[in-house]
Amino acid sequence: MMVEMGPGPMPDIAILSGADGQFAVDTPYRGPYALMISADEYRPAHLTADVSNPEDSVEVAVELRPDSL
């Protein structure tokens, strides 16, 4: 997972998920974050998560499609 764009400066880092596919990102700013989720043999997915309070959790769900489709 990568943060492609956020409401403030973000370091260029990739975030690995756990075995269950879940991941967490520290978001220091309020506002929308553009995320890119990818996995081997799957097409990347792009989505936006809106953070209204950086101290709260925001959950998003994404389904990756196999690369062969």
Side-chain angles (χ1 to χ4, degrees):
M1 197 287 300
M2 292 184 67
V3 177
E4 296 185 302
M5 187 176 69
M10 294 289 292
D12 290 335
I13 57 171
I15 296 156
L16 300 176
S17 71
D20 60 0
Q22 292 188 10
F23 57 86
V25 180
D26 287 332
T27 54
Y29 309 103
R30 294 174 189 203
Y33 286 80
L35 309 175
M36 194 266 301
I37 293 85
S38 63
D40 291 342
E41 301 180 25
Y42 289 87
R43 294 179 184 181
H46 300 269
L47 60 105
T48 301
D50 192 32
V51 176
S52 59
N53 182 352
E55 295 177 12
D56 292 341
S57 294
V58 175
E59 288 190 33
V60 295
V62 63
E63 182 177 336
L64 297 179
R65 300 189 185 275
D67 205 16
S68 62
L69 290 180

